[in-house]
Amino acid sequence: MDSRTDQASQVVSRGTADSRGSLDAISTPGRVADPTEGISHEELGLAARNHGLPLEALRYDVTPPGLHYILTHYDMPVLDAAWTLTIGGRVRTPLTLDLAALRAFPPVTHRVTMECAGNGRARLTPRPVSQPWLVEAVGTADWTGVPLRTLLTEAGVEPDAVEAVFTGADHGVERGVEQDYARSLTLADATATDPEVLVAYEMNGAPLPPQHGHPVRLVVPGWYGMAHVKWLRDITLTDTPFTGFQQAVAYRYRQSPDDPGTPVTRIAPRALMVPPGFPDFMSRTRVVRPGPLRLEGRAWSGRAPVTKVEVSTDDGDTWYEAELAPQDRHSRSHSHSWAWRHWHAPWTATPGTHVLTARATDAEGDTQPVTQPWNRGGFGNNAVQRVTVLCEPQ
Amino acid sequence: MDSRTDQASQVVSRGTADSRGSLDAISTPGRVADPTEGISHEELGLAARNHGLPLEALRYDVTPPGLHYILTHYDMPVLDAAWTLTIGGRVRTPLTLDLAALRAFPPVTHRVTMECAGNGRARLTPRPVSQPWLVEAVGTADWTGVPLRTLLTEAGVEPDAVEAVFTGADHGVERGVEQDYARSLTLADATATDPEVLVAYEMNGAPLPPQHGHPVRLVVPGWYGMAHVKWLRDITLTDTPFTGFQQAVAYRYRQSPDDPGTPVTRIAPRALMVPPGFPDFMSRTRVVRPGPLRLEGRAWSGRAPVTKVEVSTDDGDTWYEAELAPQDRHSRSHSHSWAWRHWHAPWTATPGTHVLTARATDAEGDTQPVTQPWNRGGFGNNAVQRVTVLCEPQ
């Protein structure tokens, strides 16, 4: 029996007329802000709960605990020792695994850069009203767990299965729809060897912290954050594509509410710079002294290896190439590391105000725009970061 | 020689006319938002870097790593193994201590609830423009280190010393003033036995993470966060009161820019509730089912022990008393635990919309206002939290 498909259908229905009425009062449709409208208290409420990577933390190869970006759709659930992961649907042998059972499989570790699909949303005009990221929704961690492929082999996938649906223990309402957070992958993506999807129980060598999905989450290297289902409690193989809210309604590139759109999947190339010098508290404008400086940062793409990072110190008028560090040594023998690469470039600061920027290009030729093509959800934004620097004598 | 006092005087000067001109262009005076002005990109930039406690994490006695609130004025500095702490000024024997030297003193651990002095600022009208906290800038940790009193005894305080000035390695510009972050305590506060000030090198049994002041920070139980100087590198005893920016200009209760104001010191009483049920993603309005529920949360005051928590489920029209857990068992034999106390209260939810709130009262009779008295910096805000709940049948 494929209870998951049934549940999926229910999830996208909006309940009875009565419950729809009351939920709709507290859970309004997605909207786009008026161009003159400042950030609202609702958006600020999300910004105060969730957080980005403070950009100076781009210095670390692996993001220290507490500095990796976080986006929690509902509340972080507290899962006790009775937690289990079920694997069912179109499999020969449904499985129920506790943490000890998962740890009994040979562990695999991948270093993965994760980025929120909504990164940069708050800089779009008009602004999609949701978690208002500026540019900082990123982080890199070493994730340890069991390849999903191993677990699916153990359960035995039926020939008619086409997708794996991943359901978390986080429960809430979104745009009028009550739901457990759930996403799917095609069977091909779920069982690929590179990128290799993990059912992860450790982050940087320690048990997952609550905000990263304790005790177990999915890790899908190269994909935006929405795919890495946290607080994972069920994997169901289905014989039809999943139509749950987070798959069929949210996380699609759309131009209008009626546009069916295309799915948000892999991470577009991006470079970020460690802002040089020191900041003003409020404006975050940087102050540097005249003379030679080393600019540095990280670059990544979930689509193909990063092949080039360029830097501009005149707001994009002219560009020069940065030096890229070798592919991360933690990557396996495959062609594409799923973690960011370090880059650095020289700059001689002269008195005055400068706008610094950097852009990454990947092996598919994708690069970063100066002006972001707009979409209604504010997804997949990879417009270049702009860092304003005042250079003045001591 | 008391170089600290000289440095302090320089810190509040605004440099030469030339440098003042260029810094003022990127570092504007404090201001109050127009009542119709939404949250700006500058405020959002701070909200995206810093973060509060997701309120469901009030469930934990000790806040898990990464969920404790963070406010970093400038950048987090990266301090290497060459870091030392110097103790000088009006002492008989100036000291230079590395981490091993600090760890050689008998360690002391205190469980401390810390709150940002600007908590709640974004809900004030008019809104002071700074880090735009709503209600969540709090956290509790076990801090381990050496009592400051022990170190000062080791150095030998001269009879004319009146204050200890604490300087961090974080450097930036604020309201036109370039500075290292620095704060002072009177000698009486610095050497008290309760609350006992710590020079802390562990948080929850592990080395301090970068964002909490690695390798060493000050912990001043009962005081708002600005007193707990992070990335501590120098303690200087002075024979005059410190007039640095964070002491004499920022962190004062003022009604106008010219008002000398009074200093921000200890934490006002506050209760926060774990929002019951589950949330809507965007509005964070809660959904519960009809029937009996247990409301719970935490309450604290840095001024006197919390003696009472009351709950209202009708937006403050009527109140009933919550049950307070015993003082935290980790507190020592003193009368006042410096950590929050757990509380709980029953509620029977009935269909409809409800506004839940809670208020703490401490042994000095201080309690929380429904409407916050305004001050220009938005400091010491302890207006009651309001949690909107929709109760509807399943």
Side-chain angles (χ1 to χ4, degrees), chain B residues 13 84 89 120 181 237 252 261 302 336:
Chain B
S13 80
T84 56
Y181 189 91
L237 281 286
R252 296 184 77 86
H336 184 181

PDB file of all heavy atoms in Angstrom, chain B residues 13 84 89 120 181 237 252 261 302 336:
ATOM      1  N   SER B  13      36.780  60.774  21.618  1.00  0.00           N
ATOM      2  CA  SER B  13      37.006  61.872  20.678  1.00  0.00           C
ATOM      3  C   SER B  13      36.652  61.340  19.298  1.00  0.00           C
ATOM      4  O   SER B  13      36.649  60.135  19.068  1.00  0.00           O
ATOM      5  CB  SER B  13      38.468  62.320  20.696  1.00  0.00           C
ATOM      6  OG  SER B  13      39.257  61.445  19.921  1.00  0.00           O
ATOM      7  N   THR B  84      46.861  36.411  24.295  1.00  0.00           N
ATOM      8  CA  THR B  84      47.069  36.483  25.745  1.00  0.00           C
ATOM      9  C   THR B  84      46.094  37.499  26.321  1.00  0.00           C
ATOM     10  O   THR B  84      45.571  38.365  25.611  1.00  0.00           O
ATOM     11  CB  THR B  84      48.496  36.939  26.120  1.00  0.00           C
ATOM     12  OG1 THR B  84      48.753  38.207  25.499  1.00  0.00           O
ATOM     13  CG2 THR B  84      49.556  35.922  25.708  1.00  0.00           C
ATOM     14  N   GLY B  89      47.420  48.496  34.465  1.00  0.00           N
ATOM     15  CA  GLY B  89      46.893  49.735  35.049  1.00  0.00           C
ATOM     16  C   GLY B  89      47.241  49.798  36.526  1.00  0.00           C
ATOM     17  O   GLY B  89      48.385  49.497  36.920  1.00  0.00           O
ATOM     18  N   GLY B 120      13.522  43.464  22.207  1.00  0.00           N
ATOM     19  CA  GLY B 120      12.212  44.102  22.107  1.00  0.00           C
ATOM     20  C   GLY B 120      12.220  45.452  21.405  1.00  0.00           C
ATOM     21  O   GLY B 120      11.158  46.045  21.195  1.00  0.00           O
ATOM     22  N   TYR B 181      35.889  47.310  21.130  1.00  0.00           N
ATOM     23  CA  TYR B 181      34.769  47.202  22.063  1.00  0.00           C
ATOM     24  C   TYR B 181      35.303  47.179  23.496  1.00  0.00           C
ATOM     25  O   TYR B 181      36.194  46.375  23.812  1.00  0.00           O
ATOM     26  CB  TYR B 181      33.946  45.941  21.795  1.00  0.00           C
ATOM     27  CG  TYR B 181      32.666  45.929  22.606  1.00  0.00           C
ATOM     28  CD1 TYR B 181      31.490  46.459  22.090  1.00  0.00           C
ATOM     29  CD2 TYR B 181      32.654  45.432  23.910  1.00  0.00           C
ATOM     30  CE1 TYR B 181      30.326  46.482  22.841  1.00  0.00           C
ATOM     31  CE2 TYR B 181      31.488  45.456  24.663  1.00  0.00           C
ATOM     32  CZ  TYR B 181      30.332  45.982  24.128  1.00  0.00           C
ATOM     33  OH  TYR B 181      29.189  46.016  24.877  1.00  0.00           O
ATOM     34  N   LEU B 237      42.965  48.319  35.345  1.00  0.00           N
ATOM     35  CA  LEU B 237      42.402  49.001  36.515  1.00  0.00           C
ATOM     36  C   LEU B 237      42.691  50.497  36.377  1.00  0.00           C
ATOM     37  O   LEU B 237      43.820  50.881  36.068  1.00  0.00           O
ATOM     38  CB  LEU B 237      43.026  48.460  37.803  1.00  0.00           C
ATOM     39  CG  LEU B 237      42.492  47.121  38.337  1.00  0.00           C
ATOM     40  CD1 LEU B 237      41.105  47.324  38.953  1.00  0.00           C
ATOM     41  CD2 LEU B 237      42.435  46.032  37.272  1.00  0.00           C
ATOM     42  N   ARG B 252      22.851  53.683  27.429  1.00  0.00           N
ATOM     43  CA  ARG B 252      22.305  54.531  28.489  1.00  0.00           C
ATOM     44  C   ARG B 252      20.818  54.733  28.210  1.00  0.00           C
ATOM     45  O   ARG B 252      20.388  54.837  27.065  1.00  0.00           O
ATOM     46  CB  ARG B 252      23.039  55.878  28.547  1.00  0.00           C
ATOM     47  CG  ARG B 252      24.515  55.721  28.914  1.00  0.00           C
ATOM     48  CD  ARG B 252      25.225  57.054  29.056  1.00  0.00           C
ATOM     49  NE  ARG B 252      24.929  57.730  30.314  1.00  0.00           N
ATOM     50  CZ  ARG B 252      25.584  57.505  31.453  1.00  0.00           C
ATOM     51  NH1 ARG B 252      26.556  56.613  31.516  1.00  0.00           N
ATOM     52  NH2 ARG B 252      25.259  58.172  32.545  1.00  0.00           N
ATOM     53  N   GLY B 261      21.356  60.721  30.527  1.00  0.00           N
ATOM     54  CA  GLY B 261      20.807  59.387  30.741  1.00  0.00           C
ATOM     55  C   GLY B 261      21.399  58.685  31.945  1.00  0.00           C
ATOM     56  O   GLY B 261      22.213  59.243  32.696  1.00  0.00           O
ATOM     57  N   GLY B 302      17.550  39.879  36.468  1.00  0.00           N
ATOM     58  CA  GLY B 302      18.924  40.083  36.913  1.00  0.00           C
ATOM     59  C   GLY B 302      18.995  40.957  38.150  1.00  0.00           C
ATOM     60  O   GLY B 302      20.079  41.286  38.619  1.00  0.00           O
ATOM     61  N   HIS B 336      19.968  33.891  44.914  1.00  0.00           N
ATOM     62  CA  HIS B 336      19.464  34.244  43.602  1.00  0.00           C
ATOM     63  C   HIS B 336      20.183  33.434  42.539  1.00  0.00           C
ATOM     64  O   HIS B 336      21.387  33.580  42.361  1.00  0.00           O
ATOM     65  CB  HIS B 336      19.697  35.749  43.374  1.00  0.00           C
ATOM     66  CG  HIS B 336      19.131  36.264  42.070  1.00  0.00           C
ATOM     67  ND1 HIS B 336      19.270  37.567  41.692  1.00  0.00           N
ATOM     68  CD2 HIS B 336      18.433  35.673  41.080  1.00  0.00           C
ATOM     69  CE1 HIS B 336      18.689  37.745  40.511  1.00  0.00           C
ATOM     70  NE2 HIS B 336      18.166  36.612  40.132  1.00  0.00           N
TER      71      HIS B 336
END
